[in-house]
């Protein structure tokens, strides 16, 4: 699995060009990406979706900037927890899905990198959630099937998992988005996803 993550990450690093602004996701697949990007010694400006990614990127000599002044990114690259055949994704295993979605949406091109075990026939629970602390008990009651993780988001909010049925991902995504107190959920729609690079044995499958 780790070798598949590495080859997918290296294929994504090869898409990065000198001068680009690049969004960096979070997780073990992205750690391979950071190493591969650092080895290329490009002049790129990066934004990080978590402290973990920021620390690792800076440690490898990559230039990381706050994501407050940049209006758009050339490319964003990130892992995923589940990838469905219709390109719906579940993300947020690392609790960073709110930042990851903002970064993916701001990028001209969003590339997903994953090992082949992330491919699923259909999405299944849990769906990660970022919740505001204010009104937490009421938000959990409205959600019905959600459990808190002992984990905070990069922005200090709470991370939970929705364990109810998924059914149609678009309907669930709309319902979660409309639930007050839910900052963001980990369902990423196909419209966000430009390319999926999946490690497959020693090679990479492009979708
Ligand atoms: C973090 C994420 C990660 O991309 C996802 O959990 C995959 O992680 P990994 O690359 O370690 O398998 O969404 O919030």
């Amino acid at each position: 699995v780790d070798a598949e993550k590495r080859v997918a990450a290296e294929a994504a690093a090869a898409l990065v060009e000198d001068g680009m602004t690049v969004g960096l996701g979070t997780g073990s697949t992205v750690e391979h990406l950071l190493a591969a990007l650092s080895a290329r010694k490009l002049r790129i400006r990066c934004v990080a979706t978590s402290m973990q990614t920021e620390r690792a990127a800076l440690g490898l000599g990559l230039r990381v900037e706050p994501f407050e002044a940049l209006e758009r990114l050339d490319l964003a690259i990130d892992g995923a927890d589940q990838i469905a055949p219709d390109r719906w994704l579940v993300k947020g295993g690392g609790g960073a899905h709110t930042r990851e979605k903002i970064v993916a949406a701001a990028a001209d091109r969003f590339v997903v990198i994953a090992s082949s075990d992330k491919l699923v026939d259909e999405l299944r629970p849990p769906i990660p959630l970022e919740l505001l602390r204010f009104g937490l008990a009421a938000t959990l009651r409205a959600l019905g099937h959600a459990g808190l993780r002992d984990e905070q988001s990069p922005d200090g909010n709470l991370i939970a998992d929705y364990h109810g049925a998924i059914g149609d991902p678009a309907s669930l995504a709309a319902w979660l988005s409309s639930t007050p107190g839910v900052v963001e959920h980990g369902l990423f729609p196909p419209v966000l996803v430009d390319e999926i690079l999946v490690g497959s044995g020693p090679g990479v499958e492009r979708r």
Side-chain angles (χ1 to χ4, degrees), residues 5 26-30 78-81 90-97 100 113 115 118:
K5 289 181 179 186
T26 292
S28 55
T29 318
V30 166
D78 202 350
D81 299 306
V90 173
K91 288 187 45 54
H97 53 278
E100 291 168 346
I113 48 177
S115 46
K118 303 296 180 68

Side-chain angles (χ1 to χ4, degrees), residues 123-147:
L123 301 183
R124 47 183 180 248
I127 305 299
L129 303 172
E130 179 165 340
L131 304 179
L132 216 59
R133 208 175 287 273
F134 183 84
L136 177 66
T139 305
L140 289 171
R141 180 165 180 264
L143 289 167
H145 308 272

